[in-house]
Structures are given as structure tokens and as C-alpha cells.
């Protein structure tokens, strides 16, 4: 009794074909070693920091929820929200002026962006805070005519006012360029189509252009928001009781400089981490159309189309 066994052996000299179903990614020993070294270094550094008494972790825990610190945190968050809202509004206006065909409008917008992006924010804050040195009184008057109303500059430009104006105008210069970049990323045909349907330029901008530009505007705006929460620490130089100023007032009494600075650092890290998570959700929301288009099946060409 004989058994015939047929084998499909590859001919001599031919390529060795293998079933891709059994293919797998080769194990990379060097990658495992790299991860192991990094993990050891991180754990060792964390152990050193946690057991270093000079960091004063008990003091950090004691003052982390101190009322003075929490009040300073509220001030920093409030300045961030108000400064960012005003910066976006003014930045949108400046961006539209920058894109205008009117030379006066575009020239003013360019000058605004050039000045507020070209000078340090700290200098701008000090300048606004010391406005009374240049103008002791602020007044409303008819040009070359009588004064209608007048106020003492120090009563108008308080530390809070100086902080809001300085942060908002500086942010507006950056947001103007971000918004302008988002607007010009939208195909010009969108605006032309909207005008063909009888839409005004303002309505087309609000209903057609800006929603499509949001995909390009949101990511850098999120970065600017995170930068803003950190930039509020600069208002401490004009005696604004923000988060940094609050911890400074405490360590000036207790001389616990490093622990109190760690309190501020941990709060800033916590807030920026929350903002990062929010930014990811917003980016996912405005990028959902791209995901739908990527997952949609591609149209199959018919025989006639293929022949052409």
C-alpha cells in the first residue's frame, strides 16, 4: 500500500514565499532595554526628590490649599479668562482689518501687531501701570476745544486695569495672526460661492468661513490659553495679588522659598494639564469631519470610467 504525498516546494533559486497571516513584529531587545533604563532613571529621580528634605514637602502640603494661595489662584484664572476673551475679540477685529483691501485699516493692524508682538509683555505691563507718569489725567475733550470730562489716571489705571489691558492687547496681537492664518487656510471659492448665493461678506464670514477655519485656529489658540495662564505670573511685578504674588507674600514671612514656589508650580501644572485635556476634546470635535472622510469608502471606478 503506497501513499502519494504532493508537496508544493519552491523551485530551486526561487524566492521563499511565506504566509503573511503568521507574520509578526520582531522582538526588539534594544527597545526593551531603553525603556528599562528610562524607567530606572525616572524612578530613581522621583525617589531622590521625594526623600529630599530640602524640598519641604510637609510645608507644600500645609500651604497647598491655604486661603491666600487659593485667592491668588482665583485672580490668575480670572485674569486668564478676561484677558483671553478680550484678546480673541480684539484679535478677530485686527485680523479682519489686516486682511482688508483698505490700506489704512491693514496698515493700522500691521502696526498694532508689530508693536505688541515686538515688545516684552513685562515691559507693557509696567508701562500701563505707570501711565500716570505720562498722563496725570485722562479726559474726554473736543479736539482743540473744551474738556468734557476728566479723571485722575491713578483712579482709572489700577493694578487690575493695567493687568487686564496689558494681557488682552498683547494676546490680541498673537491671536490676530492665528485667526488670519486660519481664515486664509479656507479655500477662496467658499467665499465666492457664498457671495453668489447673495450672502453679505459679514454673513459669509460668520456662517461659512470662520466655522471651517476653526480647525486651524483651535490648536494654536489652546496653546495661547496655556501660555496666558503662565503669563499672569508677570502681573506680580505691578502688585497684583495673583498666584505667584500670593506665594511670595507667604515666603516673605516664613522664609520657606522653595516649598512655596513648589506650591505655585504644582498649581500651574494642574491647571495646564486640565486645559490640555480640554484642548484635545475640542480638537477632536472640530476634526470629526476629517475622520469621517478618512473612514468613508473610496468610490470605485466603473468599467467605462476606467477605460477613459
Amino acid at each position: 500500500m503506497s501513499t502519494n504525498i504532493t508537496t508544493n516546494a519552491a523551485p530551486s533559486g526561487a524566492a521563499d514565499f511565506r504566509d503573511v497571516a503568521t507574520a509578526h513584529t520582531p522582538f526588539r531587545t534594544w527597545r526593551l532595554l531603553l525603556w528599562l533604563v528610562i524607567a530606572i532613571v525616572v524612578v530613581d529621580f522621583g525617589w531622590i526628590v521625594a526623600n529630599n528634605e530640602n524640598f519641604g514637602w510637609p510645608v507644600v502640603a500645609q500651604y497647598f490649599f491655604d486661603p491666600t494661595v487659593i485667592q491668588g489662584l482665583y485672580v490668575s484664572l480670572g485674569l486668564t479668562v478676561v484677558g483671553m476673551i478680550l484678546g480673541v475679540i480684539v484679535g478677530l477685529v485686527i485680523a479682519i482689518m489686516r486682511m482688508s483691501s483698505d490700506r489704512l485699516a491693514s496698515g493700522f493692524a500691521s502696526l498694532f501687531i508689530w508693536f505688541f508682538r515686538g515688545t516684552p509683555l513685562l515691559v507693557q505691563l509696567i508701562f500701563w501701570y505707570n501711565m500716570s507718569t505720562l498722563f496725570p489725567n485722562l479726559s474726554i475733550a473736543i479736539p482743540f476745544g473744551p474738556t468734557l470730562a476728566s479723571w485722575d489716571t491713578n483712579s482709572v489705571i489700577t493694578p487690575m486695569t493695567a493687568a487686564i489691558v496689558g494681557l488682552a492687547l498683547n494676546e490680541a496681537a498673537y491671536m490676530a495672526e492665528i485667526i488670519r492664518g486660519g481664515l486664509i487656510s479656507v479655500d477662496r471659492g467658499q467665499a465666492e460661492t457664498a457671495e453668489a448665493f447673495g450672502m453679505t461678506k459679514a454673513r459669509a464670514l460668520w456662517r461659512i468661513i470662520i466655522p471651517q477655519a476653526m480647525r486651524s485656529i483651535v490648536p494654536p489658540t489652546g496653546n495661547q490659553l496655556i501660555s496666558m495662564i503662565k503669563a499672569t505670573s508677570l502681573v506680580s511685578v505691578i502688585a497684583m495679588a495673583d498666584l505667584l504674588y500670593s506665594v511670595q507674600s507667604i515666603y516673605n514671612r516664613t522664609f520657606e522659598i522653595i516649598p512655596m514656589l513648589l506650591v505655585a508650580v504644582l498649581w500651574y501644572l494642574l491647571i495646564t494639564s486640565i486645559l490640555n485635556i480640554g484642548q484635545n476634546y475640542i480638537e477632536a470635535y472640530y476634526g470629526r469631519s476629517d475622520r469621517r472622510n478618512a473612514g468613508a469608502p473610496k468610490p470605485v471606478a466603473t468599467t467605462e470610467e476606467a477605460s477613459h
Side-chain angles (χ1 to χ4, degrees), residues 10 22 31 34 48 56 68 78 134 184-185 198 204 207 211 224 231 249 251 254 271 284 298 305:
T22 61
R31 179 175 295 181
L34 180 61
I48 293 173
T68 303
L134 298 175
I184 63 178
S185 68
R207 299 296 298 273
Q224 286 299 117
S249 65
Y251 73 58
T254 63
I271 298 301
K298 296 182 178 180
E305 293 172 343

Side-chain angles (χ1 to χ4, degrees), residues 51-65:
N51 290 275
N52 190 335
E53 296 181 356
N54 295 324
F55 281 92
W57 294 114
V59 179
V60 173
Q62 177 185 353
Y63 285 98
F64 192 74
F65 293 104

Side-chain angles (χ1 to χ4, degrees), residues 268-288:
Y268 282 125
L269 287 175
L270 178 61
I271 298 301
T272 53
S273 299
I274 295 173
L275 292 177
N276 274 324
I277 296 173
Q279 179 182 352
N280 291 335
Y281 278 107
I282 295 174
E283 289 182 13
Y285 174 79
Y286 282 104
R288 65 191 188 282

Side-chain angles (χ1 to χ4, degrees), residues 12-255:
S12 177
D16 184 14
F17 295 98
R18 298 181 181 181
D19 188 359
V20 296
T22 61
H24 63 277
T25 304
F27 182 77
R28 294 182 173 87
T29 306
W30 62 268
R31 179 175 295 181
L32 177 61
L33 293 176
L34 180 61
W35 277 99
L36 184 60
V37 170
I38 293 175
I40 292 174
V41 171
V42 170
V43 172
D44 182 62
F45 179 76
W47 178 263
I48 293 173
V49 171
N51 290 275
N52 190 335
E53 296 181 356
N54 295 324
F55 281 92
W57 294 114
V59 179
V60 173
Q62 177 185 353
Y63 285 98
F64 192 74
F65 293 104
D66 187 83
T68 303
V69 174
I70 299 300
Q71 182 62 34
L73 178 63
Y74 287 155
V75 172
S76 294
L77 293 177
L79 288 174
T80 300
V81 172
V82 175
M84 198 67 196
I85 291 175
L86 293 177
V88 171
I89 294 173
V90 177
L92 176 60
V93 175
I94 296 298
I96 295 173
M97 293 175 64
R98 180 77 170 80
M99 299 174 64
S100 174
S101 57
D102 189 306
R103 290 187 177 181
L104 178 61
S106 62
F108 173 80
S110 300
L111 183 63
F112 179 93
I113 294 171
W114 168 78
F115 179 80
F116 285 101
R117 288 204 311 175
T119 54
L121 175 57
L122 180 59
V123 175
Q124 296 175 31
L125 290 171
I126 297 174
F127 176 86
W128 287 109
Y129 183 65
N130 293 279
M131 181 66 70
S132 60
T133 304
L134 298 175
F135 304 100
N137 294 292
L138 299 177
S139 59
I140 300 175
I142 298 174
F144 306 104
T147 300
L148 303 179
S150 180
W151 301 271
D152 180 59
T153 302
N154 285 327
S155 64
V156 177
I157 307 297
T158 62
M160 176 67 76
T161 307
I164 292 175
V165 172
L167 291 172
L169 293 181
N170 182 265
E171 187 62 31
Y174 288 93
M175 286 304 305
E177 288 297 275
I178 291 173
I179 294 173
R180 186 176 70 90
L183 294 177
I184 63 178
S185 68
V186 179
D187 186 74
R188 185 172 177 80
Q190 299 288 332
E192 295 174 351
T193 303
E195 291 179 9
F197 277 97
M199 282 189 176
T200 63
K201 290 186 177 181
R203 186 175 179 83
L205 179 68
W206 184 254
R207 299 296 298 273
I208 305 296
I209 306 302
I210 291 180
Q212 296 185 62
M214 290 300 290
R215 286 183 299 174
S216 301
I217 294 174
V218 167
T221 302
N223 294 335
Q224 286 299 117
L225 179 60
I226 293 173
S227 297
M228 173 69 83
I229 188 67
K230 295 182 293 183
T232 57
S233 62
L234 296 176
V235 304
S236 61
V237 301
I238 59 173
M240 269 296 296
D242 70 312
L243 177 58
L244 181 59
Y245 186 89
S246 299
V247 300
Q248 286 175 335
S249 65
I250 293 175
Y251 73 58
N252 285 334
R253 300 193 313 264
T254 63
F255 301 102

